[in-house]
Amino acid sequence: MSPADRPTALEVSARTLEQLEWPQLVERVRAHARTPGGRRRFDPAPDAGLLAGDAATARTLLAETSEARVLLTAGATPPLGGVAEVAATLRRAERGGAVPAAELLDLGATLDAIDATARFGRREAERAPRLTAHAEALGHHRALARAIEATLDAEGQVRDGASPELAAARSAARRLAAEISRRLERALHDPELTAHLSDRFVTLRNDRYVLPVRADARGRVPGIVHDASASGTTLFVEPEAVVGLNNELKEAELCVERETARVLRELSARVGAEAAAIRASLAILETIDAAFARGALSRELQAVEPELCEDGVFVLPQLRHPLLAPERAVPNDVRLGQRATVWVLSGPNAGGKTVAMKAVALAALCARAGLHVTATAGARVAAVEKLLADIGDAQSLRESLSTFSAHMANLARIVEEATPASLVALDEIGEGTDPGEGAALAQAVLESLAAAGARVVATTHYNLLKEMAAVDPRFENASFEFDPDTLAPTYRLRPGVPGVSSAAAVAARMGLRRDVLERADELLAREDRRLERLLGELAASRLAVERERREAERLRAASEAERREVRQRLEELQQRRDRLLHSMRADLDESFRRAHSEVAAVIRELQRGGSARHAALARERLLALQAETRAAEAAAEAPAAPFEPLDWRRVRPGDRVRLREGGEGVVLALPDRRGRVALQVGPARLLVPAERLASGGASLPEPPRSHVRVETREAAAAEPGGSERCDLRGLRADEALARVAVALDRAALAGRGEVVFVHGLGTGRLRDVVRQHLAASPYVASFAPGDPERGGDGVTVARLDD
């Protein structure tokens, strides 16, 4: 058996649980349970089973708690509202007894909840596989639930349809009761009879219909007397006329009772047959309910699932006492068992020592009960086998023990029982006797527990114990702060340093007179006064350093926020510039396309017209188009200043420089060994690589000219016909297309019949690009690969439109 699976049932006394306030915490989780059995699962007694599982079982419970919390956070709650206490019902049915209708109704609601929970588990299989496995093990009791529903109505009455005999008997009873009522109503209106009645109504006595007759007129109304009024002046008489009908009604009602009892016995027998299976389903339902109760408490306390480990280590980041509201508790980091096994807590009274000690012990209990711990992510809890504690007043009048004697008796037991798998919580160890002897005894006890390998959390005011960490690596100090300015505890834990008891400061805060405090200071032993003074100065220095650290962190956070804002603004400016350039490029390309189209149109008109006048007009239009193209280019393109690296030999702090991404800044310091320049950009101070900076006064170059060139010739000088050759080999696609456009313009102006484009074979990419361009050109009537003697597929011959 591996150490992880070794049974490690937690041993703890009821008194220790009471001192740690465990019952109060268990009551909080019990309040979230929704079934009677689920509530019974949370019994704080040490032998009730809540803490009896081994470490492996506890890990399973913790994982189920996490799954339940995930579902609760997502708004998924199991349908457990209808579960009732049915243990007695099942026992009665198993013994063959008839179960009352009301109990059968409760059982039916419980079976419906079992069925609904099974469906709920199937829906949540992906998010909660462990809880789904429990739900899949629930029994199938739907047939029995439907039988109960078909037999009983919502008031617990057996339905007429439960059996034909019952339906017939009830019908006869209703008919007879109606007939009796009609006859008696007629009698109430008979003048001869009403004179002898004390009142005019029909009532029941001994389940028989009767009339109220005056006692002095008894002989006037023949029938059977069933009762008399308290005064004796009225007799309740069953008239002879309805005696027979009342007898028949009674027989019908007895038949209804017998049939009802038979139906309930049959239904009870079905319950008895399924009692064992129902009991097993209820146990599973209680397990699911308990998991969701633990999950609800985890969400309420903002707790986390801890790792339950076997190495005796406690790591509890930002630990809080679970009975304190999260917004009121001051969280502290706790580490025990990694280097030191004895944790000595010191500090002022009411400063948080006992609360922290109890929080560690409660974390051990919670983990073993499947409850999450009130810490943050990364929590680890040792799977201890024993939890031993000495807390509070242990005085016992019955055993003739003083407070100190009772504490010593408890410590003697703890020393005997402590093992490496024990967690020991000791509050104010050694108090209650002479300080010197008490400190010595306390040191001896702690050394014995350390030798046993136990994990110990001890609170103290003894300086002797505070000094142990300096001479014994098994000991570690931790203290709670005391603000010397406000004379109040801060409840913040400082690991590694001893704390000041600050008794005088606490007394002053409680209102003790100054002369009494000064006299106490005079009586304090010199060495104790020196140590207290040193510890006080250390605490004050630590608080000052802590304030400075928090202020530095605040300033750093503010600086980071400003730096992020500046970077974001730079990125937004870069994106805005890119969008603007893209838009201008698109407008320029569109202008170029329109220019080419208009040039082609002019050439076509020139070719059709052919006169000198037309040539002159065409030349004027071409020159106008050329001017428009250049104007559009100059207006659209606004290129940024060239980015030229700085000559850092000439740069001085205070010079303005430009960033590659846009914007300007002021040099605060020249490049360091890593080539980073301290730069002030707006309110932020940045470290920028030197190669990303340029001079702030760089001049702008002349805007580049358009690649679109319009060459004009006199139409009369053009020689029509012939071909032109354009060599594109070795060019990139964009360069080739620019040359193709110029060649087509020139050939069209010259009246050429065809243009031969030489692009070579290669990969075929250049050939495809050229031919795609030719297919869209307004000059080209058709194109085809060249003849073999002209280069075959390595050339494309474009025939121009006449």
Side-chain angles (χ1 to χ4, degrees):
M1 182 179 295
S2 66
D5 297 326
R6 185 179 67 250
T8 53
L10 180 61
E11 297 180 18
V12 60
S13 69
R15 178 174 177 78
T16 296
L17 293 178
E18 192 68 37
Q19 290 171 333
L20 293 173
E21 301 171 276
W22 175 245
Q24 289 91 315
L25 183 58
V26 173
E27 184 59 36
R28 289 189 65 172
V29 67
R30 189 211 305 269
H32 290 288
R34 301 169 61 200
T35 67
R39 287 186 284 271
R40 283 195 297 271
R41 294 283 182 102
F42 298 105
D43 187 336
D47 57 351
L50 186 58
L51 300 168
D54 58 21
T57 302
R59 292 188 188 95
T60 300
L61 294 176
L62 287 168
E64 292 174 359
T65 303
S66 297
E67 290 185 355
R69 178 171 176 176
V70 168
L71 295 182
L72 289 172
T73 302
T77 305
L80 302 173
V83 178
E85 181 62 83
V86 295
T89 300
L90 296 177
R91 286 194 301 270
R92 183 183 293 109
E94 281 182 313
R95 292 196 297 266
V99 178
E103 293 184 16
L104 287 172
L105 278 180
D106 288 342
L107 179 61
T110 300
L111 297 181
D112 286 338
I114 292 174
D115 183 61
T117 302
R119 295 195 302 272
F120 171 83
R122 288 192 292 272
R123 289 196 304 269
E124 303 297 341
E126 184 175 349
R127 291 189 290 187
R130 291 178 178 83
L131 295 178
T132 295
H134 288 306
E136 289 176 347
L138 290 169
H140 301 285
H141 311 290
R142 187 172 181 79
L144 179 57
R146 297 290 77 81
I148 294 174
E149 183 181 358
T151 301
L152 302 173
D153 60 19
E155 287 73 34
Q157 299 296 320
V158 178
R159 300 180 188 273
D160 289 352
S163 78
E165 293 81 1
L166 179 61
R170 280 185 173 167
S171 178
R174 286 191 292 269
R175 177 179 52 79
L176 291 169
E179 179 62 25
I180 293 172
S181 295
R182 282 194 299 272
R183 291 192 182 188
L184 292 179
E185 285 292 333
R186 286 197 300 269
L188 290 175
H189 294 85
D190 185 352
E192 295 182 3
L193 183 60
T194 54
H196 308 301
L197 300 180
S198 61
D199 208 340
R200 299 182 63 179
F201 62 83
V202 178
T203 186
L204 285 171
R205 287 296 185 273
N206 298 327
D207 295 329
R208 300 180 76 88
Y209 288 92
V210 296
L211 295 175
V213 179
R214 298 199 319 272
D216 58 357
R218 166 67 185 89
R220 305 286 185 175
V221 181
I224 302 172
V225 177
H226 286 279
D227 200 0
S229 65
S231 62
T233 59
T234 299
L235 301 176
F236 295 96
V237 177
E238 178 185 5
E240 287 182 349
V242 297
V243 169
L245 290 176
N246 265 330
N247 290 339
E248 293 181 27
L249 176 60
K250 188 63 176 178
E251 290 176 3
E253 290 175 344
L254 290 174
C255 182
V256 168
E257 290 179 7
R258 287 193 302 270
E259 190 60 22
T260 298
R262 186 191 66 78
V263 169
L264 292 178
R265 281 196 304 273
E266 279 189 4
L267 196 54
S268 300
R270 291 189 61 176
V271 172
E274 287 193 35
I278 295 172
R279 199 174 284 114
S281 294
L282 285 174
I284 295 171
L285 206 66
E286 293 162 7
T287 298
I288 296 173
D289 183 30
F292 275 90
R294 297 193 303 270
L297 184 68
S298 173
R299 187 172 60 166
E300 177 185 308
L301 298 181
Q302 302 172 22
V304 298
E305 178 185 351
E307 176 189 355
L308 193 61
C309 58
E310 304 285 341
D311 55 6
V313 173
F314 287 83
V315 178
L316 297 165
Q318 298 295 285
L319 177 66
R320 295 175 280 107
H321 194 290
L323 293 179
L324 293 177
E327 61 275 9
R328 291 184 54 242
V330 177
N332 290 295
D333 293 335
V334 172
R335 293 179 181 272
L336 175 64
Q338 288 179 316
R339 295 183 301 274
T341 58
V342 180
W343 206 36
V344 180
L345 293 176
S346 56
N349 294 89
K353 301 187 300 298
T354 303
V355 171
M357 178 192 65
K358 288 184 176 182
V360 175
L362 285 172
L365 292 171
C366 285
R368 294 305 298 271
L371 296 173
H372 287 177
V373 298
T374 47
T376 55
R380 296 180 64 196
V381 176
V384 295
E385 297 178 4
K386 290 184 180 181
L387 179 54
L388 307 168
D390 184 63
I391 303 172
D393 188 1
Q395 186 181 54
S396 174
L397 296 178
R398 186 174 57 186
E399 298 180 15
S400 300
L401 293 176
S402 68
T403 299
F404 180 75
S405 300
H407 280 304
M408 287 300 105
N410 200 20
L411 287 175
R413 179 183 61 83
I414 290 173
V415 169
E416 289 298 322
E417 295 182 8
T419 68
S422 299
L423 174 64
V424 182
L426 303 175
D427 190 27
E428 305 294 355
I429 181 173
E431 295 285 341
T433 188
D434 176 76
E437 286 187 297
L441 277 171
Q443 179 178 341
V445 168
L446 292 180
E447 288 177 343
S448 175
L449 293 174
R455 272 55 182 170
V456 184
V457 182
T459 67
T460 187
H461 291 286
Y462 289 142
N463 291 331
L464 180 63
L465 299 185
K466 301 175 188 178
E467 297 168 359
M468 289 298 297
V471 296
D472 193 331
R474 300 172 300 179
F475 287 70
E476 182 176 5
N477 274 319
S479 61
F480 281 88
E481 290 180 347
F482 187 85
D483 193 328
D485 298 329
T486 63
L487 301 181
T490 66
Y491 305 107
R492 293 191 184 91
L493 184 66
R494 294 300 173 196
V497 294
V500 183
S501 296
S502 303
V506 173
R509 188 159 57 95
M510 294 296 106
L512 194 61
R513 289 205 320 264
R514 178 178 294 276
D515 60 324
V516 178
L517 294 173
E518 292 174 351
R519 176 57 178 162
D521 186 62
E522 293 174 1
L523 295 174
L524 189 64
R526 180 178 302 173
E527 292 299 325
D528 288 343
R529 185 161 54 243
R530 181 182 302 170
L531 179 59
E532 287 289 330
R533 186 179 298 112
L534 289 174
L535 291 177
E537 293 174 356
L538 177 62
S541 300
R542 191 166 59 246
L543 281 174
V545 170
E546 178 64 19
R547 292 192 191 100
E548 293 177 0
R549 183 185 66 81
R550 286 198 292 268
E551 179 63 16
E553 289 180 351
R554 186 190 66 78
L555 292 175
R556 184 175 64 183
S559 175
E560 288 293 332
E562 291 178 355
R563 183 177 300 180
R564 284 193 298 270
E565 182 180 355
V566 169
R567 287 177 179 170
Q568 182 178 357
R569 289 177 61 189
L570 289 176
E571 291 176 359
E572 290 175 354
L573 288 173
Q574 179 71 22
Q575 293 172 359
R576 182 180 176 186
R577 189 186 69 176
D578 291 344
R579 289 194 299 269
L580 184 59
L581 287 176
H582 179 76
S583 176
M584 290 192 301
R585 294 286 184 187
D587 293 343
L588 190 58
D589 290 343
E590 179 63 24
S591 298
F592 290 162
R593 283 193 293 271
R594 285 200 305 271
H596 278 297
S597 298
E598 292 185 18
V599 167
V602 170
I603 291 173
R604 283 195 297 272
E605 286 185 18
L606 184 61
Q607 289 174 341
R608 285 195 295 269
S611 66
R613 187 173 63 83
H614 286 117
L617 292 174
R619 186 173 187 278
E620 290 177 4
R621 290 187 62 187
L622 290 175
L623 290 173
L625 284 172
Q626 186 177 34
E628 290 178 6
T629 302
R630 289 178 178 173
E633 181 185 47
E637 287 215 7
F643 192 88
E644 298 178 0
L646 286 168
D647 184 356
W648 289 102
R649 293 173 298 179
R650 300 181 180 180
V651 178
R652 296 291 182 271
D655 290 350
R656 296 191 67 82
V657 293
R658 289 190 299 114
L659 282 81
R660 183 189 300 271
E661 294 82 0
E664 293 185 350
V666 177
V667 175
L668 300 178
L670 296 180
D672 58 14
R673 289 180 298 177
R674 298 174 61 182
R676 299 178 302 177
V677 180
L679 200 65
Q680 184 74 32
V681 179
R685 184 179 183 275
L686 305 178
L687 287 176
V688 181
E691 61 270 14
R692 289 171 54 191
L693 301 176
S695 171
S699 60
L700 298 178
E702 290 296 325
R705 297 301 179 184
S706 168
H707 293 295
V708 177
R709 184 175 71 254
V710 180
E711 297 181 359
T712 62
R713 298 180 184 177
E714 292 294 337
E719 294 289 338
S723 65
E724 183 169 331
R725 184 179 179 86
C726 181
D727 194 344
L728 306 175
R729 289 173 293 184
L731 299 180
R732 296 194 306 271
D734 55 346
E735 296 172 340
L737 291 179
R739 187 171 292 184
V740 168
V742 171
L744 290 173
D745 289 343
R746 189 168 52 246
L749 284 171
R752 304 292 186 189
E754 66 179 23
V755 180
V756 179
F757 295 100
V758 182
H759 44 67
L761 294 174
T763 61
R765 163 87 176 143
L766 186 57
R767 176 198 63 202
D768 294 341
V769 169
V770 170
R771 291 179 179 176
Q772 288 175 4
H773 183 82
L774 295 176
S777 174
Y779 299 134
V780 179
S782 64
F783 61 87
D787 297 331
E789 59 272 12
R790 300 178 73 178
D793 205 33
V795 302
T796 297
V797 180
R799 293 174 177 80
L800 304 189
D801 199 357
D802 294 335

